[in-house]
Amino acid sequence: MPHKGNPKIEFRYYKMPQDVPFLALFGDKWIQNYGRDIDFLHFHNYLEIGYCYDGTGTLSIGREEYRYESGYFSVIPQNCLHTTNSDPNTISSWEFLFIDIDTLLKQICHTGGTKRITQIASRINSKAYLKPEAERPKLGQTIRNIFNIMRYKEEFYLEEASAEASILLMNLARENKVGRFSEKMPLKEAVPIAQALDYISIHYMEPLKISELAENCHISESHFRKIFTAYMSMGPMEYINMVRVRTACDLLKRTDDFVTDVANKCGFATFSTFSRNFKKIMGVSPNEWRKRPDNYEQQLLKSSIHLEKGW
């Protein structure tokens, strides 16, 4: 059933291991009763793949809910709102894989350059779904292979897991032809949101106008604002500033660049605009935050949307 009202939404930020474009989460921690009062509608900065080994419940994707049970797997694009809820008084066993699509594709795409990578990444991120492995055996088997490789860590396991992850991405790209987020979500709403999110992720450092985003999606600005806000629970400019500030946090943490240079690299026209938005989202000034970057994942983004370090 669709979500009503203005639910609490989290942005869960994951950091990849050094030199490895994927992160596998498995073990006893992921055997639990999901959701209800402890989980919220959220989205990630990477593609999320989930596999259910046991249990029953619902996976919410956007405004729709789908039933899951043992042997089901999920594919959740980055920036896609979702959450998992176990049935009352039941335990579910899931494992999760997060993939840095662009980095992995750069490692395996030797022809076609950036255009080819963008084409494949867009296909992979074009659709979210929940399927039984019996319906998509090749995808399900590959997902389980990756978890087993990461679990047992035999010699050259990272190279083997990278190869399997590359196979998974190629199969997902072939699988996804049209549609974004939810098969039940009307394409006239899903496609503009997908186009806008993908465009922002690439061009956030450039001057962006909402009217231009709407024009790029071939819809009116008023309608674009309406469907974007309805789906993301924040306006398009709020989302753009969130992406810019998130990137600024990374630069402040990883580099010694002047704060003014960071502001410019992240797309803010003036330092005062950067400083104002940074403090609004992170709760402290950029200089204050730089002195205590571990607070990044705990700062409130706003009253109903906040940033969480991935579980």
Side-chain angles (χ1 to χ4, degrees):
M1 60 184 295
H3 290 280
K4 296 180 180 180
N6 186 26
K8 183 177 180 180
I9 294 174
E10 294 177 348
F11 168 49
R12 293 185 180 165
Y13 172 89
Y14 281 91
K15 185 175 181 180
M16 290 290 161
Q18 187 173 3
D19 301 324
V20 181
F22 51 86
L23 173 66
L25 304 179
F26 50 83
D28 292 344
K29 180 179 180 180
W30 310 105
I31 303 174
Q32 58 176 275
N33 181 271
Y34 286 85
R36 308 305 165 193
D37 296 328
I38 58 174
D39 200 6
F40 303 98
L41 205 61
H42 59 276
F43 58 104
H44 301 286
N45 54 325
Y46 294 113
L47 173 74
E48 177 197 286
I49 306 295
Y51 193 95
C52 178
Y53 293 89
D54 194 19
T56 58
T58 58
L59 174 65
S60 298
I61 302 177
R63 291 172 288 175
E64 300 292 339
E65 290 188 351
Y66 303 86
R67 293 289 303 172
Y68 73 78
E69 58 185 62
S70 174
Y72 273 60
F73 67 87
S74 60
V75 178
I76 309 293
Q78 68 180 95
N79 299 320
C80 176
L81 289 172
H82 67 286
T83 193
T84 304
N85 287 291
S86 301
D87 285 337
N89 303 314
T90 68
I91 298 297
S92 296
S93 175
W94 282 81
E95 292 183 339
F96 300 96
L97 178 71
F98 292 89
I99 302 177
D100 181 345
I101 297 174
D102 290 339
T103 298
L104 186 55
L105 288 178
K106 287 176 183 177
Q107 294 177 1
I108 63 176
C109 291
H110 303 296
T111 60
T114 302
K115 183 177 180 180
R116 184 65 167 173
I117 292 172
T118 301
Q119 177 189 24
I120 297 173
S122 296
R123 287 281 290 272
I124 294 168
N125 271 317
S126 70
K127 194 174 181 181
Y129 50 86
L130 176 71
K131 297 287 185 183
E133 183 178 348
E135 187 176 320
R136 298 288 193 277
K138 191 171 184 178
L139 288 174
Q141 179 65 53
T142 304
I143 292 167
R144 289 191 292 107
N145 285 346
I146 295 171
F147 286 126
N148 286 331
I149 292 167
M150 297 302 293
R151 193 184 343 269
Y152 298 117
K153 293 182 171 59
E154 296 181 352
E155 189 177 14
F156 310 124
Y157 75 96
L158 286 178
E159 289 79 4
E160 184 180 7
S162 293
E164 290 282 354
S166 300
I167 292 171
L168 177 62
L169 291 189
M170 295 306 102
N171 283 317
L172 288 175
R174 295 190 190 101
E175 181 87 8
N176 299 347
K177 295 181 180 179
V178 295
R180 168 75 173 192
F181 300 155
S182 167
E183 291 177 332
K184 294 182 180 179
M185 190 177 186
L187 282 178
K188 65 181 180 180
E189 293 185 15
V191 171
I193 294 172
Q195 292 174 338
L197 293 176
D198 290 341
Y199 190 86
I200 291 169
S201 69
I202 297 172
H203 300 281
Y204 65 87
M205 74 294 294
E206 302 171 9
L208 291 177
K209 294 182 179 179
I210 308 306
S211 58
E212 293 174 349
L213 289 174
E215 183 178 355
N216 188 55
C217 296
H218 307 293
I219 58 176
S220 69
E221 180 178 349
S222 60
H223 185 56
F224 173 77
R225 287 179 181 273
K226 179 180 178 181
I227 63 173
F228 190 101
T229 302
Y231 188 80
M232 298 299 294
S233 293
M234 70 178 97
M237 188 51 67
E238 289 179 274
Y239 178 79
I240 292 169
N241 285 332
M242 185 193 69
V243 172
R244 288 171 171 169
V245 168
R246 182 187 75 195
T247 305
C249 286
D250 286 337
L251 290 175
L252 289 170
K253 196 171 188 176
R254 293 188 293 101
T255 74
D256 294 324
D257 292 350
F258 291 114
V259 177
T260 50
D261 292 337
V262 170
N264 183 61
K265 289 179 180 179
C266 294
F268 288 99
T270 66
F271 179 74
S272 61
T273 302
F274 168 62
S275 184
R276 183 177 66 253
N277 279 280
F278 193 100
K279 189 166 186 177
K280 177 183 177 182
I281 292 172
M282 302 308 298
V284 295
S285 71
N287 281 318
E288 289 175 313
W289 186 89
R290 190 172 226 170
K291 296 175 183 177
R292 47 176 185 165
D294 289 342
N295 287 341
Y296 179 10
E297 291 85 2
Q298 280 73 45
Q299 298 295 331
L300 292 180
L301 286 178
K302 54 179 291 187
S303 59
S304 62
I305 303 173
H306 68 280
L307 179 69
E308 290 286 346
K309 182 178 181 180
W311 284 342

